[in-house]
Amino acid sequence: MNEPTPSPGPTPPPDVRHLLALRLRDAQQEVAELRAALATRPLTALATGVLAERLGCGPAEAGAQLLALAERARLGPQELAADILTTLPATTSGTTTGPGPAPPAPPAPPPGRPPPVVEAALGQAADLLGAPAAVLWTVQPGGALHPVVAPGFTEAERTAWRHVPPGLPTPAQQALAGGSALGPTGPVAATLGADRAPYRLAVPLHRADAPAAVLELAWENHPPDPTPAERRRLRAVAEVCALALTDRPDPVVADTAPDTAALDAALAPALLLAPEPATGQPADFRVLRVNTAFTDPAGRPPHRVEGRTLTTAYPQACADGLLDLLLRVHATGRPHHADTLALNFLSGQTPVPVLLEFAAARLAHPPGHLLVSWRPTGADDRTDRLLRTAQRLSHLTGFEEDLRSGEVHWTPGTADLLGLPAGTAPVPLAALPAHVHPDDEQAVRRVVNSAVDNGRPDSTVFRMRHLSSYTHYVRMVAEPVPDPTGRTAAVRGAFQDVTAQHWTETALAATTESLASTRQEAAERHLLALRLQQAILPPAPPPLESAGLRAAVRYRPSSQRDRVGGDWYDTTLLPDRTALLVVGDMAGHGVEAATGMVALRNALRGLAYTGAGPGRLLGWLNQATADLTGAATATAICARYHPDTRTLHWARAGHLPPLLLRDGTVRPLPLPHGILLGAAENPDYQEQHLAMRPGDVLLLYTDGLVERRDQAVEEPLDHLARALAGPATDLDALLDRALAASTADTDDDTCLIAVEVLPGGPPGRQERSGPGESV
């Protein structure tokens, strides 16, 4: 029963390189057809010349007559031309080709006039480039030029320029002197027929070791530059003319023909490539020869490859990079060898991938030629190459020991992998422990005994004894090879360099251990800082009613658990019945900030029992900051409220101003001069005082409430003042509203204290601003 053929998947769209390769293949077929047509053109040209001679007409009229005769005879022009040429009488003997009297021999060309084939070739060159006139100059002794044929020019014009000396700067003489084609150029003034056709293209016709003639084309207007293909065809026509004029072989071809004996002697398939063009920077290569061992990847015979350029013979492979590779070999002179080179070759219109073993080198003779050798790799070659690649990439070698004969075999590179000197004989397994580090001998013996005596595979990692530093680690795997009786007859295995893996694992283990220790330390430090902060910042302030005040506090921690800060607050009743109100912010985060905050808070509370004012207290605290916290800095607001007079005295150390809520309005208090704690040795901290009224509310806070990265502090402070405006009936609600109205974006800790002056109080209080009050 036949199984159904699975339907092919969707065909992927062809890429641009494949489309270009297909287009080039179509062009190759078209060129092949044109070459086939050109192969029969000499028959047509010769038959046209015969008719022109017999009929006494020009080549164009003779060609038209040939086509008309072929049509009447219902033959192709090539077939009729062959018939005409085969019926010509013999000219080398006095006999005729048939019965009857011999027809008269055709008249020979007049002296100085070229053969008819030259005239036909000259007309073909003019038609090729659309030139209305042409002239063929022959080189006379001494370098003078003589116009032997000039279609398109009058006889009078040709006679006037029948002798052009070598010194005259005509286009033909300039091309002759330069040895290469000249033009199109113009307009020119001094040459044959310059008044009617002033634009010229001149091509010297080289034969033997000197130019034989110059082919010159003429136009009335400046023609477009010929394409490379047109120039090649023009050179071909020039060679035909030169060959007909001189009838001598070209020794240059024999001199430059490559010696292909070495090419044919090569066992591997090889190609001989010539640069195209032959001079200057090559853009392509031409296949001159292939040897007898050559097999075309596309299945073509050698004659279908020889003589073609590389891009036309193998367009898809050149698009894949073959041409660029060979151009690089030609430019640098460095040979290239690849065990595997992946290329695509066209089979019809389908690219076929082929893996090649490839080599290319530039030859010294002929200069610039390339010798290329390629051979498709088989499945076995690819498998061996893959195994060698895998062993090289994994730093792996193999060993085998025949326990019956004692023979030990190592794959190449084993001695180097083990760190042994080059050329060291393979070491038997029984002697291997003597070569390893003493600490690893027992592990290696265990592996050997497991494979040899117990018939079980085993593995271990060891270090070699002879190395100066034991930093080279080798993994050994051994497995037994049993005989028919089950006894171990041989041991096979592998050595692998695992030094990089070992040190990576060691570094990873050390990093993991260090990271775990660091995480544990960070968690412990965070927990310690958090507990210090919670211990120093009670959730509710002590009662201050005996001082005529009511207080409320808030602490908002940072949302990031690792950013425990140094913000603190303190409200304390002192022995003289005054109230100490403090808000501060220690620079930094973590345990250092928390411990510094605790030290400053306790120091300030102790100093306040001396009865000194806020300015004096901050001066003392500045000295304590350097002693207790090192180089740390802090900001603080220190205030002392006297209930007998309802007077508030305060000083600041680089802190933001307190806010006063009075009669539904909010305003910041003026700031006395005072720099950061710990920033200078003996700073001056000024004091301000304010007469408070019943119902007044004072708000002290840290910068986490108002600080923004994109604004000056005045803008969020004004926003906060507008949000708090209005009667304050409840301090807790006021603090909640302050936190809700905060626009800060620094994610820092925030401390707030709100104190309200209660109605009533001891006599003698002042209801209006004293002399030190800032209004």
Side-chain angles (χ1 to χ4, degrees), residues 750-769:
T750 303
C751 286
L752 297 93
I753 296 178
V755 293
E756 181 183 8
V757 179
L758 298 175
R765 62 183 178 272
Q766 300 178 4
E767 297 293 344
R768 59 186 179 85
S769 299

Side-chain angles (χ1 to χ4, degrees), residues 29-199:
Q29 295 177 354
E30 183 179 352
V31 169
E33 296 173 358
L34 291 175
R35 284 179 175 172
L38 287 175
T40 60
R41 175 171 289 187
L43 295 175
T44 307
L46 291 175
T48 302
V50 170
L51 290 177
E53 184 178 358
R54 300 293 190 198
L55 301 175
C57 60
E61 185 178 351
Q65 186 67 26
L66 177 65
L67 293 177
L69 291 173
E71 184 177 358
R72 286 198 298 270
R74 296 184 179 180
L75 295 174
Q78 296 84 5
E79 296 175 285
L80 180 61
D83 290 343
I84 292 174
L85 294 176
T86 55
T87 58
L88 289 177
T91 58
T92 58
S93 67
T95 62
T96 63
T97 58
R113 185 173 180 85
V117 67
V118 175
E119 296 186 32
L122 190 63
Q124 182 183 4
D127 295 340
L128 173 66
L129 298 180
V135 58
L136 181 66
W137 306 88
T138 57
V139 181
Q140 305 298 315
L145 296 179
H146 173 69
V148 293
V149 60
F153 295 104
T154 64
E155 186 63 23
E157 291 173 328
R158 190 174 72 86
T159 303
W161 288 85
R162 65 181 179 276
H163 182 79
V164 180
L168 196 64
T170 64
Q173 283 288 10
Q174 290 175 348
L176 186 64
S180 60
L182 174 69
T185 185
V188 295
T191 190
L192 186 150
D195 55 338
R196 295 192 299 108
Y199 295 91

Side-chain angles (χ1 to χ4, degrees), residues 340 355 375-388:
T340 303
L355 294 179
R375 182 181 63 181
T377 59
D380 294 338
D381 296 335
R382 287 196 293 269
T383 301
D384 293 341
R385 190 170 292 108
L386 286 174
L387 288 175
R388 290 197 300 268

